[in-house]
Amino acid sequence: MPPRLRVSDEQLSQGHGARYIEGRRVLRRPPLGAAMMRTRVNVVSGAIVSALMALANGSEAQPAVRLRGVVFDSVARAPLANASVRVFRADSASVGIDARTDATGTFEVSALRTGTWLLSFLHPRLDSLRLEPPVARVDVVEAGEIDVTLAVPSAVTLARALCGTARDDSTAVVVGDVRDAAARRPIVAATVRATWPEWVFAKKRMEREVVTRVARTDSAGQFVLCNVPQGSTVTALAYAGSDTTGVIELVVPVTEYTVADFVIDRGASLVSRDGVSAPWRRGEGMIRGRVVTAGGQPLGNVMARVLGSGTVVRTDSSGVFRISDAASGTQTVEVRAVGYDPIRQRVQLSPAIPTAMGFTLEKSRVLLDTVRVIAGRKLPADVEAIERRWRRGLGTILDGRTVRERTSTNLTSALWSVPGVRLGMRSGYGNAVYMRGNSGKECIPSIYLDGFRFVADGMSLDELITPGDVAALEVYPRPMQRPAEFTDLSECGVLAVWTSRFLGNVRVMDPRKQRP
């Protein structure tokens, strides 16, 4: 997918295709040439031979130019080795010379005759960046040498061409396409959503906000997602109607331009259980995986699953597992075992075609819990408030250590067996949490994150917070149990999550077990 460049009304009236991205009118396909390539041409003077005189005398002799050049990738900031360079006549594309770059990205054409020549190159890197082959022009008028630099535009240039001026210098643009898993056709008007948490300072305190960016695909199934944070990991998915990919962790590198494609299984079935309205998604996606240790030894009894499928399998004695009912398309496979760091890996599954995968689990690092040393200093106000509510005994409060003892997977799993709480299934990663309202019917509780109302917007706490992030978890299943700090218009209970970072890494402790 080439970058889409903003154009004037005059250009649009001349037949350039146009579309809108986040309110900006832009080109569907950019013009080739200077907008797509930075070219430097230096002509070193030699003996001037008049082509007109040679032709007048009936001679075929013409000035010959030696062309030397470099092909450079400005996104990766490295030369492009093994690029296929084509030099051809402007008036006849069939007349040309082919060359190939060496390990340093250098190429050479020994002799070019008088006339106008066009230069272009092909390389898999262009395809991976969704760029059209660039074209540059060289006019040969006298003998000598010409130095040319052909370059893939820089990430900054591409980002500005696609999204205009960025709001700050730490945002990136993500481009890609959304396709059907079975037919591999582009999906028009599909939605791509990226979500991530941010810490902001407001009213003399630090608050955590969930930021969302949304883009829609055009008639070619291509999308442009602007203002995504660089050097970070965001949670992303694509959906069209009720069909969706799995939730994936998208790593955005420290550049301003990256590519991510999504594939949706439009034939996946929805499996409901226990009357839950947020079912698992299953299909014909098949995986054959093998799990080994860092030393190459097979690991048995390792749990493996495709997030959002509801199916959990375990490896056999040879470390092999098989999954045969996952939804196809873009998914996330997770493997985990006690004593090892879990691994999540993105995969694109094809219907009824097994995908082979390999995983290497590393031994878990020993992590010491937060130490609480209060030598005459006052506890943070939020920690005091949590422990004060804990002393009242109106609900159920779990400290961070208890949460981690109850689960090593997702946060809400720590709520199993908590009175008044039921966990259900949801499409995507994590569990749905249900409580009992005043009428006795099940309801969805209000969720507070670090003291502020959490607006889910289709996301779950499990997608944002790991058990290792948690300092305390407060559960008030009934509306009448809600503390004054968590009063709102909801007629359901409350789930309040506090992170260690927000509480200054001070442990929350059961006040009923503390010595006076």
Side-chain angles (χ1 to χ4, degrees):
M1 180 186 70
R4 296 133 165 103
L5 304 179
R6 291 179 293 177
V7 294
S8 65
D9 291 338
E10 179 182 356
Q11 288 173 304
L12 290 172
S13 66
Q14 293 174 358
H16 293 286
R19 63 189 296 274
Y20 283 84
I21 298 176
E22 297 187 356
R24 300 182 179 91
R25 182 161 59 179
V26 293
L27 267 178
R28 185 181 308 282
R29 181 175 295 272
L32 297 176
M36 292 298 301
M37 177 167 21
R38 184 174 65 253
T39 305
R40 184 180 73 251
V41 179
N42 297 323
V43 178
V44 181
S45 297
I48 299 178
V49 181
S50 173
L52 293 176
M53 292 179 59
L55 292 175
N57 295 332
S59 171
E60 296 183 359
Q62 294 184 27
V65 168
R66 182 184 179 188
L67 180 68
R68 296 182 302 184
V70 174
V71 180
F72 192 79
D73 181 357
S74 299
V75 175
R77 300 177 183 177
L80 278 180
N82 203 34
S84 177
V85 180
R86 175 71 173 174
V87 184
F88 55 95
R89 293 294 295 260
D91 55 355
S92 178
S94 61
V95 178
I97 304 171
D98 294 319
R100 190 168 293 273
T101 60
D102 58 20
T104 64
T106 303
F107 69 93
E108 182 176 312
V109 175
S110 59
L112 285 183
R113 300 299 180 184
T114 300
T116 298
W117 298 82
L118 300 180
L119 285 78
S120 185
F121 70 91
L122 295 176
H123 193 275
R125 179 65 170 163
L126 292 173
D127 295 331
S128 67
L129 293 175
R130 304 298 192 272
L131 299 180
E132 293 286 344
V135 176
R137 171 175 167 167
V138 173
D139 292 314
V140 177
V141 295
E142 61 181 16
E145 294 182 350
I146 296 179
D147 294 332
V148 181
T149 298
L150 308 179
V152 174
S154 68
V156 175
T157 300
L158 293 172
R160 289 177 179 172
L162 290 165
C163 299
T165 303
R167 293 184 299 178
D168 55 60
D169 59 359
S170 62
T171 58
V173 56
V174 179
V175 301
D177 57 38
V178 180
R179 293 183 174 272
D180 182 278
R184 293 291 171 173
R185 289 192 295 264
I187 300 178
V188 179
T191 301
V192 178
R193 187 183 69 195
T195 307
W196 64 91
E198 286 185 355
W199 291 92
V200 297
F201 289 95
K203 298 180 180 179
K204 297 183 180 180
R205 67 183 300 172
M206 188 166 61
E207 301 176 0
R208 187 168 182 168
E209 293 183 353
V210 177
V211 183
T212 301
R213 294 283 183 268
V214 175
R216 292 176 70 83
T217 59
D218 59 15
S219 59
Q222 300 166 344
F223 69 90
V224 178
L225 198 61
C226 298
N227 299 317
V228 178
Q230 303 178 22
S232 63
T233 300
V234 302
T235 303
L237 78 162
Y239 56 89
S242 60
D243 300 318
T244 178
T245 66
V247 177
I248 65 169
E249 294 179 346
L250 177 60
V251 178
V252 182
V254 189
T255 63
E256 297 192 13
Y257 182 89
T258 189
V259 177
D261 295 328
F262 293 87
V263 180
I264 297 177
D265 184 356
R266 312 208 74 172
S269 59
L270 306 179
V271 181
S272 299
R273 188 174 69 185
D274 300 330
V276 178
S277 59
W280 304 116
R281 293 181 60 82
R282 295 180 182 168
E284 299 180 349
M286 303 170 64
I287 300 173
R288 184 183 186 278
R290 187 167 187 265
V291 184
V292 298
T293 65
Q297 300 300 316
L299 268 180
N301 202 35
V302 177
M303 184 185 75
R305 61 175 178 166
V306 174
L307 300 186
S309 69
T311 298
V312 178
V313 300
R314 293 187 178 271
T315 59
D316 57 23
S317 58
S318 61
V320 174
F321 70 88
R322 295 174 178 82
I323 297 176
S324 58
D325 62 352
S328 300
T330 304
Q331 305 293 341
T332 298
V333 181
E334 180 187 70
V335 296
R336 59 173 61 244
V338 176
Y340 294 87
D341 291 330
I343 291 179
R344 289 182 181 176
Q345 187 171 319
R346 184 172 60 181
V347 65
Q348 288 192 358
L349 303 179
S350 299
I353 300 177
T355 299
M357 303 184 69
F359 301 88
T360 301
L361 292 185
E362 301 281 351
K363 281 282 188 180
S364 295
R365 298 174 295 277
V366 178
L367 300 176
L368 298 179
D369 204 351
T370 306
V371 177
R372 170 170 164 154
V373 179
I374 307 297
R377 73 179 177 88
K378 187 177 178 63
L379 282 173
D382 288 316
V383 174
E384 285 187 332
I386 295 169
E387 294 182 354
R388 183 171 59 250
R389 292 190 291 270
W390 202 340
R391 190 177 292 109
R392 294 174 185 169
L394 293 178
T396 300
I397 299 182
L398 308 176
D399 61 17
R401 180 178 294 176
T402 303
V403 169
R404 289 184 283 278
E405 288 175 351
R406 282 172 169 252
T407 179
S408 61
T409 55
N410 48 55
L411 172 61
T412 55
S413 296
L415 298 175
W416 284 110
S417 76
V418 172
V421 178
R422 185 177 73 84
L423 297 183
M425 296 174 292
R426 63 183 301 275
S427 57
Y429 176 64
N431 300 303
V433 181
Y434 299 95
M435 295 182 181
R436 292 283 181 184
N438 288 328
S439 62
K441 295 182 179 180
E442 283 193 336
C443 56
I444 298 176
S446 299
I447 298 177
Y448 285 79
L449 177 59
D450 290 333
F452 297 90
R453 183 73 181 270
F454 172 72
V455 180
D457 192 25
M459 302 292 291
S460 73
L461 281 171
D462 295 322
E463 295 170 335
L464 298 176
I465 304 174
T466 66
D469 297 330
V470 177
L473 190 62
E474 300 184 60
V475 186
Y476 303 98
R478 299 265 182 181
M480 64 184 65
Q481 296 176 313
R482 298 169 66 127
E485 295 92 331
F486 305 126
T487 300
D488 55 37
L489 299 178
S490 172
E491 296 184 357
C492 198
V494 169
L495 174 62
V497 183
W498 299 89
T499 62
S500 298
R501 181 176 178 180
F502 183 81
L503 298 180
N505 290 324
V506 175
R507 279 187 57 191
V508 176
M509 300 177 65
D510 187 347
R512 297 169 298 182
K513 296 181 180 179
Q514 298 181 41
R515 294 181 181 179

